[in-house]
Amino acid sequence: MNEKSTRGRPRKYDTRAALDAALLEFRRHGYTATSLDHLSEATKMARPSLYAAFGHKRSIYLRAVGQYVEDKAVDWNRALFDEPSFAKALEAYFLILVAIYSEGDDRPLGCPMLSVIAGEATADPVMSAELSAALERTDARFRNRIAVARDDVQLPPETDVDALADLLAALQHSLALRARAGTEQPELERIARNSVALILRSAGAIPVSDYATVAPNP
């Protein structure tokens, strides 16, 4: 193939790798402080190519975080719903989150959503909607798992599903904030385990050792 036939052809790039690299930059610097130069250097794409492929900075972030949610949702749902024990499922779920929040060479990076766009949500309706949707997905995930545990008689029948989901969501948000503030992974894991245990006791959850002796609802 001669030089003339290749001239002007767009340079190939790996979409997934580029979006992963872009999200890492947003997590390192925050949304506002992340420049197109940061993104260009991280993705190894010239600014015109970056814009042509993904659009402006907000579009790059939304696509990157969308890919992140799609990828991680599989692990989150497996941890929560494949484990029969409610207590073990919660511990596995929160430890996965802590591992994600603790990513970073120099310091924990926190949540790719809460730690990146919380400050923009008050002024940008699109970011506000994105953050609200993320919070609702978290709430819904917890509500669904709590309902399963209640139906399996691992929680009392009078369990307030919404209130318990609110508590678990608050724990998730607290872990994200603490990670962003620099709390290291072992301490985050300690907080997660102790908080889950306390929440389960307050909710009247049946101890793991007693699950086998309680018949589930027909």
Side-chain angles (χ1 to χ4, degrees), residues 69-109:
V69 170
E70 182 178 350
D71 290 345
K72 298 301 183 183
V74 175
D75 294 332
W76 297 334
N77 289 329
R78 183 181 296 118
L80 270 181
F81 293 96
D82 287 2
E83 167 56 56
S85 162
F86 185 47
K88 291 180 179 179
L90 288 180
E91 179 172 314
Y93 174 82
F94 280 108
L95 291 182
I96 286 174
L97 288 179
V98 165
I100 293 171
Y101 296 165
S102 300
E103 293 170 342
D105 295 332
D106 300 324
R107 57 174 292 137
L109 296 176

Side-chain angles (χ1 to χ4, degrees), residues 17 19 38 40 85 112 130 156 205 209:
L19 291 176
H38 284 134
S40 176
S85 162
E130 182 71 18
S209 59

Side-chain angles (χ1 to χ4, degrees), residues 16-31 33-35 38-39 41-44 60-61 63-65 67-68 100-113 115-116 180:
R16 174 171 292 276
L19 291 176
D20 284 343
L23 186 60
L24 183 58
E25 287 302 291
F26 285 118
R27 295 179 70 189
R28 283 174 174 159
H29 304 290
Y31 180 81
T34 299
S35 67
H38 284 134
L39 297 173
E41 182 178 354
T43 59
K44 305 297 190 291
I60 297 170
Y61 171 75
R63 286 193 59 178
V65 80
Q67 176 176 279
Y68 158 82
I100 293 171
Y101 296 165
S102 300
E103 293 170 342
D105 295 332
D106 300 324
R107 57 174 292 137
L109 296 176
C111 175
M113 285 171 284
S115 302
V116 173
R180 192 63 167 181

Side-chain angles (χ1 to χ4, degrees), residues 104-171:
D105 295 332
D106 300 324
R107 57 174 292 137
L109 296 176
C111 175
M113 285 171 284
L114 294 176
S115 302
V116 173
I117 62 171
E120 281 67 37
T122 57
D124 186 331
V126 174
M127 291 302 198
S128 178
E130 182 71 18
L131 187 57
S132 295
L135 297 176
E136 174 53 32
R137 286 194 298 269
T138 297
D139 293 344
R141 189 178 291 114
F142 284 132
R143 287 195 299 266
N144 290 340
R145 186 60 181 89
I146 293 164
V148 170
R150 183 190 58 190
D151 293 344
D152 285 345
V153 201
Q154 295 184 41
L155 290 168
E158 67 275 12
T159 296
D160 187 329
V161 172
D162 290 337
L164 185 53
D166 290 342
L167 280 175
L168 293 171
L171 172 57

Side-chain angles (χ1 to χ4, degrees), residues 182-212:
T183 304
E184 298 293 339
Q185 185 169 353
E187 177 65 6
L188 292 174
E189 291 176 349
R190 184 193 66 80
I191 293 170
R193 286 192 174 98
N194 289 347
S195 298
V196 165
L198 182 60
I199 290 171
L200 289 174
R201 285 199 299 271
S202 68
I206 298 169
V208 175
S209 59
D210 293 342
Y211 287 164

